[in-house]
Every structure is written in C-alpha cells, then in structure tokens.
Amino acid sequence: MSRTQGDTKSKIIDLGEKLLLGKGFNGFSYADIAISLGIKNAAIHYHFPCKSDLGLAIIQRARERFKKWGANKETEQLPDRERLDSFFQIYRHYLTKRESVCLSGALETDFTTLPKPMQEETRGLVYDLLTWMEIFLDQGRKRGTFSFPGTPRDQAIIVLAVMQGGLQMTRVTDQSVFDLAVSQIRRLLKP
Amino acid sequence: MSRTQGDTKSKIIDLGEKLLLGKGFNGFSYADIAISLGIKNAAIHYHFPCKSDLGLAIIQRARERFKKWGANKETEQLPDRERLDSFFQIYRHYLTKRESVCLSGALETDFTTLPKPMQEETRGLVYDLLTWMEIFLDQGRKRGTFSFPGTPRDQAIIVLAVMQGGLQMTRVTDQSVFDLAVSQIRRLLKP
DNA sequence: TAGCATACTTACTAGTAAGTAAGATGTCAA
DNA sequence: TTGACATCTTACTTACTAGTAAGTATGCTA
C-alpha cells in the first residue's frame, strides 16, 4: 500500500532531522524512527541503506532549503535589516518548533564521529552559511546599513557563532538567552 | 598493584574528558577508555559505576578548575584586557591541545540525551561561566576598559556563544576561524 | 494478464553498549 | 599474621546497534 509517492521517505528525513537536531547523530537510532513512524527498521534501510545515507540526505536538503531561501525573490528584495531578521528567524525557528540546536552546530560537535561523506557535506553547509553572511554584511556596510570593525568575514564568523552557540546555551538556561543574543548582535551591527 | 593513589581514577577522568570533548558523550564507550589505558572495562565501572558518574566527575572537575582559575591571585591581578585574553586562552587551549570543542558546547548539544544529574551539572557549569563573564564585563565597562551596548549580561551571552560556536566552526573549516573570532570579539569590546 | 518495480515486512546476524557478580592480588594496620 | 579494604581481572548478561536476506502485497505497464 503505497499511499503517496515518496511519502515515507520524506517522513523519514523529517523525523531524522528532528532527531539529529534534538539528540545528535549518535543519539538516535533507526529504531527510534521506525517506532515513531509505525514502520519496520528495515523499511528505513530500504530508503537509506546506511545511516550515513540518511544523514547525508538531511544535510543536503537543508542546504537546498537555505539556497532557496537566499534566492527567494521576497527575501532578496527585503531591506538589509529585515533580511537579517529573516535570517535570525531561521535559527529562532529551530528553537520554537523543534526545541533543538541548529544543524551546523549539531554536526560540528559530532564531527569526528561522522562518516566521511557527511563530514564533506557539513563543510559545504558551513561554507554556504559563512559565504552568504560575509557577502551580505559586506554589501550592508557599504550601503551604510551595518557598522562593524574588521573584515566582513570576521564579522560573519561572529554572527554565525552567536547563532549556533546561542541556541545551544538556551537549551540549558532559558529561551530568553537566545533572544537576548539576537538583540545584542543586532545592536552590535547598528550604524 | 596500586601504583599511585588515585592514579587510574584521574587517568580515566582525563581520557573521558578528552573523549567527551572530541566525540560527544554518546560518541565514546568504556571500551575506548579501557583499551587506551590498558585496563579492563570493569575497572572503570569500579571507579565509576555508571557512565553518568564519570560524566558528572568530568563536569565537576572542570567547574572546580574554572573556579580556581577565577580565584587565582595571578589571574585576578591582571589588567582587564589581559584577563580577557587569559579567558580566551582557556578555549584556545581546547583547540590546540585537544583538538576539541569546549565542554559546555559538547554537553549542550547532547543535552537531551544526558542523564538528569549531568544535565543539572551542565546547567551549573554554564551558570558559572555566564556569571563570571557578566561581572567581569560590568566591572570593565565601569572602568572604561571595555565598551559595548546593552547590558553586561547581553554581552556576556554573546562572548560565550562566540567562544563556543567559534570552536565548533573551526572544526569543519580551519584553525584560523577561531582566532579570527577571538580577534573580532576583542575589537568589538574596544572602548 | 504476465511480469516487473516499488515499498515494504519478517526474521535474522554480527557487533557493541552498559553494567554485574565473583574472585584474585596487593597493602596496610592491629 | 591475619583480616579488612582497595583495586583490579575474568567472565558473564542484557539490551541495543546497524545492517542484511528473503519473502510479500500492491499497482503499473507492455
């Protein structure tokens, strides 16, 4: 009984992502997914022969999602500060909807235990984020929307590190910590 | 044959910490420690009945280490900016000597999978760090050593998040990323 | 309608995880 | 020198891990 084309497969990626963000790559098993979706362990292996295949699919989808977000007409036409807030909203979303850290943060702490293909894809993800932010900050400073010392790359590293670290810290303190981090980094970028 | 008092026990904590920082709490096993120290699995269980006992000991020792660092006469008498650098050095040390992320970062991403006592101790660790940094930044701003918008707590969150996120990002990019993050946060604190 | 692909399930394997029970060995104190 | 305690080892259990092999139901297509 195949309900909708690719239904189970995308459900596996959905749940896999949620579990990865919530418990780390070594913190969940195929059994967790199987039980939760009401299918058998082997059904997951059918779609993703190895766990690393699933991990890879999760990262690739996230990269594409970010790429689409960046290329989105609506997003592109936003004023710089609103576009920045829209970026922050991606991270804020992790917190509210998924009660989790961000993908890059989760993957980076597990990095040494990840299979090679996932490591490479993780590098790609971080490269995407850093590059986007660097260009965005550079343009913004030239336009006078943002102000910061050092190079756009320096500042891009800081901004991403704050998102990542902020989400993680929030987990052990309270939700306000992430929001405080966001408002502080916004202040620090003020012209 | 008990060579030195508490020798094995502290060796287990040493290696446990290294593994925790390097691979996450779910990324290593008692077997890893046993093989590396040339002892048997059960010897570790003698000193730490459950893995959570070991995890707890690791965090507690780190908290004490930080407490001692903070109370150290040498550290205390340092000028603010040098004291800040000394703080950054703690994190830089994780990178060079251990090729790892920081303890709070590692624990926070695994947080939901950690046993309760470890969760509580992790909260304590983050509280220690946040509190110290908040007071330090507050004093520094009053003395005119530092300059930043918002409250000292806002800025403390940012600084810690940058340390944490910076170490993690460095893992998938190159070592320079952490150093760039440090120099950028130093710039952002300039009066 | 025969055959073939898709999307599974059932039933298993090999390996690893944490944890335990019982015993061996050494050290020290009375 | 005996007994108690600390620090281990040997030998195991139970539970879970990823992964596989073989079989089944359903529906599409030639």
Side-chain angles (χ1 to χ4, degrees), chain B residues 49-100:
Chain B
C50 313
K51 202 183 172 187
S52 104
D53 295 322
L54 172 57
L56 210 62
I58 293 168
I59 311 174
Q60 281 166 344
R61 200 183 61 169
R63 285 185 74 183
E64 272 161 36
R65 207 161 46 199
F66 179 67
K67 208 171 165 185
K68 273 182 197 158
W69 173 86
N72 185 338
K73 296 266 157 66
E74 272 182 65
T75 313
E76 269 197 317
Q77 289 172 350
L78 244 41
D80 283 348
R81 292 206 73 90
E82 284 176 42
R83 198 137 66 112
L84 182 68
D85 285 337
S86 172
F87 180 84
F88 291 157
Q89 200 57 38
I90 297 173
Y91 288 82
R92 177 70 224 232
H93 205 69
Y94 280 123
L95 196 64
T96 46
K97 271 235 167 169
R98 298 171 183 265
E99 187 205 52
S100 55

Side-chain angles (χ1 to χ4, degrees), chain B residues 97-136:
Chain B
K97 271 235 167 169
R98 298 171 183 265
E99 187 205 52
S100 55
V101 299
C102 69
L103 189 55
S104 45
L107 292 166
E108 285 162 13
T109 46
D110 289 340
F111 193 74
T112 56
T113 70
L114 297 180
K116 274 264 161 62
M118 281 186 69
Q119 290 191 339
E120 286 315 306
E121 204 66 30
T122 302
R123 272 190 235 278
L125 171 69
V126 174
Y127 176 82
D128 291 349
L129 293 166
L130 263 177
T131 305
W132 184 88
M133 183 55 78
E134 184 180 350
I135 294 170
F136 175 66

Side-chain angles (χ1 to χ4, degrees), chain A:
Chain A
M1 217 191 309
S2 68
R3 292 151 183 267
T4 326
Q5 272 271 338
D7 194 32
T8 303
K9 187 165 183 173
S10 65
K11 272 184 187 167
I12 292 169
I13 305 182
D14 286 343
L15 192 55
E17 183 175 11
K18 194 177 165 182
L19 288 165
L20 171 52
L21 297 176
K23 326 208 304 177
F25 191 68
N26 298 315
F28 74 95
S29 71
Y30 272 26
D32 294 325
I33 298 175
I35 291 164
S36 191
L37 294 185
I39 55 175
K40 296 297 154 183
N41 203 306
I44 306 168
H45 280 287
Y46 169 74
H47 292 287
F48 303 99
C50 311
K51 202 182 172 187
S52 105
D53 295 323
L54 171 57
L56 210 63
I58 292 168
I59 311 174
Q60 281 165 345
R61 198 182 64 170
R63 286 185 73 182
E64 271 160 38
R65 206 162 48 200
F66 179 66
K67 208 172 165 182
K68 272 182 197 155
W69 173 87
N72 186 337
K73 296 268 157 62
E74 272 183 66
T75 313
E76 269 197 317
Q77 288 171 351
L78 244 41
D80 285 346
R81 292 206 73 91
E82 284 177 42
R83 196 136 67 112
L84 182 69
D85 285 337
S86 172
F87 180 84
F88 291 157
Q89 200 55 39
I90 297 174
Y91 286 83
R92 178 70 224 231
H93 205 69
Y94 279 122
L95 196 64
T96 45
K97 272 234 164 168
R98 297 171 185 263
E99 190 209 45
S100 56
V101 298
C102 68
L103 189 54
S104 45
L107 292 166
E108 284 161 14
T109 46
D110 288 340
F111 194 73
T112 57
T113 70
L114 297 180
K116 275 263 161 63
M118 282 186 68
Q119 290 192 339
E120 286 314 307
E121 204 67 29
T122 302
R123 273 189 234 278
L125 171 69
V126 174
Y127 176 83
D128 290 351
L129 293 165
L130 263 178
T131 305
W132 183 88
M133 183 54 78
E134 184 181 349
I135 294 169
F136 174 67
L137 288 174
D138 190 35
Q139 292 174 342
R141 184 159 68 172
K142 278 171 183 158
R143 284 191 204 116
T145 331
F146 302 130
S147 163
F148 53 87
T151 68
R153 184 173 162 78
D154 293 335
Q155 188 69 6
I157 292 168
I158 292 283
V159 173
L160 290 184
V162 167
M163 289 300 105
Q164 198 165 303
L167 270 184
Q168 290 165 15
M169 283 172 60
T170 277
R171 198 171 245 184
V172 307
T173 53
D174 53 295
Q175 268 219 12
S176 72
V177 164
F178 179 73
D179 293 328
L180 292 176
V182 168
S183 55
Q184 182 69 357
I185 202 81
R186 288 179 87 259
R187 270 195 284 268
L188 288 169
L189 285 168
K190 274 203 178 122

